[in-house]
Amino acid sequence: MKPSLLSIILTATLLGTGCQQTSSQLGNTQPEEHKTMRVATFNVSMEATNYQIEDKLDTSGNVLTNALKSGEVQQINNIAQIIQQTRPDIILLNEFDYIANPELGINLFKQQYLEVSQNGFEPITYPHVYLAPVNTGVKTPLTGQDSKLTHYGFGKYPGQYGMVVLSKYPINSNQVRTFQKFLWKDMPDNLMPTYQDGSNWYAKSESEIMRLSSKSHWDIPVRVCDKQLNVLASHPTPPVFDGPEDRNGKRNHDELRLWKDYISDSGNSYIYDDAGITGGISNQSFVILGDLNASDVDGDAHPNAIRQLLTHQRVNNYAAPESRGGKLNKPQNLNAATHTAHWGMRADYVLPSSNLAVVNSGVFWPATDEQGIELVADRAASSDHRLVWVDIALSSICSK
């Protein structure tokens, strides 16, 4: 059954005046003739446990709504200010709780925060929105039984750690593909966990219903100068919080492999979306983005998990985005300038296809002597992740 898809088109008038942005936060300002499009990903930590004590968590789905309506949560204002400073044209928000009624969720954030000047920065408007259900917190038919699989994805309530895409460019809503219900077992040569003797770690009743995506995988076609750009959004599970079976590490690897196979010229006929359409994309411009929870040099992910994308012939192999703040956060780590998470890892990615020209890139992580350092002081200030952006030359899309 095809899941409910939602794309809302709104218009608004920009108000206010802008503030100067520092080059270390935004990269060198590009001349008008470059005509770039900025694409970003940002794990915003806008889920209920950031606004309530976890052991007293209201799981009714009203926590984020109430936080947005209150106007009293500085973290939300700071998230909006970071977006206003970096000004992406397309942005994926990870960990924005799924609220099916946009008037109680994403529209509140847009209208009361993004479209209102934060600390003197120019408001920003996104006429096009995409959001859809995710697997986190969704109970399986085995809930209440002696089963390892009580939920399709970790979450204390349905939609926790959800995601949403905001765009200044039109979204072809009727062509969006979602892979929320794709079964892990249906991936050939999958890494579903096993015991040392080779037997399956999941029982047959579990493996028969185990979904691959811990949240969801979305292919969102966006119209740019009458050309199509496929935004491939996801948020794979962290490769930790498990045991020797490494179920989360293996799931993370295969969640990333889904995109690797999806963009390849062959080997993707096994993939089916929630509408039953099979196959991947070829000869199509795309951007893979999200909190991918994987690094090939830091952390606990399988080294090949992210490498299978970074080294893919259809993925642009531009140098990793950097920041001074990240470098100073872990000065002993040689990779620190490319980190996107406070604990010291490159976890968040914007990966354009190889036919797209990358003009500039960066991570919003101000150093201690730069404007905006207070916005990234800790998770309570904004998030434990940083916004990552890439500027793509529009000519590389429009001249196809």
Side-chain angles (χ1 to χ4, degrees):
M1 178 178 177
K2 187 175 181 178
S4 60
L5 303 179
L6 183 56
S7 180
I8 306 104
I9 299 179
L10 301 171
T11 57
T13 302
L14 291 176
L15 302 172
T17 58
C19 286
Q20 186 176 3
Q21 300 159 325
T22 64
S23 60
S24 59
Q25 293 164 0
L26 301 184
N28 298 322
T29 301
Q30 297 301 316
E32 179 62 26
E33 61 265 28
H34 280 83
K35 296 183 179 179
T36 58
M37 173 181 64
R38 178 161 291 183
V39 182
T41 187
F42 192 10
N43 181 325
V44 293
S45 297
M46 292 177 67
E47 49 87 24
T49 62
N50 214 19
Y51 310 118
Q52 280 195 331
I53 300 174
E54 191 163 353
D55 59 3
K56 298 181 180 179
L57 189 62
D58 175 2
T59 60
S60 65
N62 297 323
V63 176
L64 178 56
T65 299
N66 293 337
L68 288 164
K69 285 183 175 180
S70 74
E72 298 176 353
V73 181
Q74 186 60 43
Q75 182 255 3
I76 300 177
N77 295 87
N78 290 349
I79 291 290
Q81 181 177 330
I82 291 170
I83 295 172
Q84 288 180 356
Q85 284 189 242
T86 51
R87 309 198 71 76
D89 298 300
I90 300 172
I91 183 170
L92 168 65
L93 306 180
N94 285 131
E95 293 196 11
F96 189 103
D97 276 355
Y98 173 69
I99 300 173
N101 183 349
E103 298 305 320
L104 300 178
I106 189 58
N107 282 2
L108 283 174
F109 181 56
K110 288 185 357 144
Q111 295 163 5
Q112 297 187 23
Y113 296 88
L114 294 179
E115 295 172 10
V116 175
S117 175
Q118 304 294 330
N119 200 26
F121 283 87
E122 183 180 354
I124 192 166
T125 300
Y126 293 100
H128 310 284
V129 178
Y130 181 81
L131 70 158
V134 292
N135 285 325
T136 41
V138 178
K139 294 180 179 180
T140 74
L142 303 177
T143 300
Q145 304 178 29
D146 184 16
S147 171
K148 304 183 186 76
L149 189 62
T150 58
H151 296 78
Y152 291 115
F154 175 79
K156 296 183 179 299
Y157 52 89
Q160 187 177 16
Y161 312 113
M163 54 188 189
V164 60
V165 170
L166 304 177
S167 176
K168 294 183 179 181
Y169 294 92
I171 293 171
N172 292 341
S173 302
N174 60 348
Q175 296 180 27
V176 171
R177 300 180 70 187
T178 65
F179 302 87
Q180 181 192 7
K181 299 179 181 179
F182 177 85
L183 298 179
W184 195 356
K185 71 179 182 65
D186 290 337
M187 174 179 279
D189 301 318
N190 62 69
L191 297 185
M192 291 186 77
T194 59
Y195 289 106
Q196 288 186 347
D197 63 3
S199 60
N200 292 330
W201 189 80
Y202 286 112
K204 182 175 176 57
S205 60
E206 297 164 342
S207 61
E208 287 296 317
I209 65 170
M210 179 64 176
R211 298 174 180 177
L212 172 63
S213 184
S214 55
K215 285 84 177 175
S216 192
H217 285 65
W218 297 342
D219 176 357
I220 305 171
V222 175
R223 299 300 297 178
V224 181
C225 58
D226 291 328
K227 304 293 183 179
Q228 180 169 301
L229 174 70
N230 288 57
V231 175
L232 307 182
S234 64
H235 184 188
T237 188
V240 289
F241 310 121
D242 51 20
E245 82 290 341
D246 193 26
R247 67 187 185 278
N248 290 330
K250 293 176 178 178
R251 190 179 190 182
N252 174 277
H253 175 282
D254 282 358
E255 287 194 70
L256 293 171
R257 183 190 151 192
L258 184 75
W259 284 144
K260 186 267 289 186
D261 291 346
Y262 192 69
I263 63 174
S264 297
D265 294 333
S266 60
N268 52 35
S269 60
Y270 73 89
I271 299 175
Y272 54 85
D273 62 27
D274 294 325
I277 300 171
T278 59
I281 57 174
S282 58
N283 301 317
Q284 183 61 56
S285 299
F286 62 81
V287 179
I288 299 172
L289 71 170
D291 173 2
L292 302 185
N293 273 314
S295 167
D296 59 348
V297 291
D298 296 303
D300 299 301
H302 286 238
N304 192 50
I306 192 63
R307 198 175 295 161
Q308 60 189 327
L309 293 180
L310 295 178
T311 61
H312 197 288
Q313 63 180 359
R314 292 200 65 206
V315 173
N316 190 309
N317 64 350
Y318 74 102
E322 296 185 355
S323 71
R324 285 186 61 218
K327 184 175 182 179
L328 295 175
N329 180 59
K330 299 288 183 181
Q332 302 307 314
N333 190 312
L334 296 178
N335 307 301
T338 66
H339 288 172
T340 68
H342 83 94
W343 62 86
M345 191 178 99
R346 184 185 182 192
D348 309 85
Y349 295 81
V350 179
L351 302 176
S353 52
S354 56
N355 66 312
L356 300 180
V358 173
V359 176
N360 208 347
S361 66
V363 180
F364 183 89
W365 199 333
T368 53
D369 60 346
E370 292 180 319
Q371 179 186 21
I373 181 60
E374 72 283 355
L375 301 176
V376 297
D378 50 33
R379 186 172 188 261
S382 56
S383 173
D384 50 356
H385 291 253
R386 306 292 175 252
L387 183 150
V388 180
W389 56 268
V390 170
D391 287 341
I392 299 170
L394 281 173
S395 60
S396 63
I397 302 175
C398 303
S399 62
K400 291 194 312 172

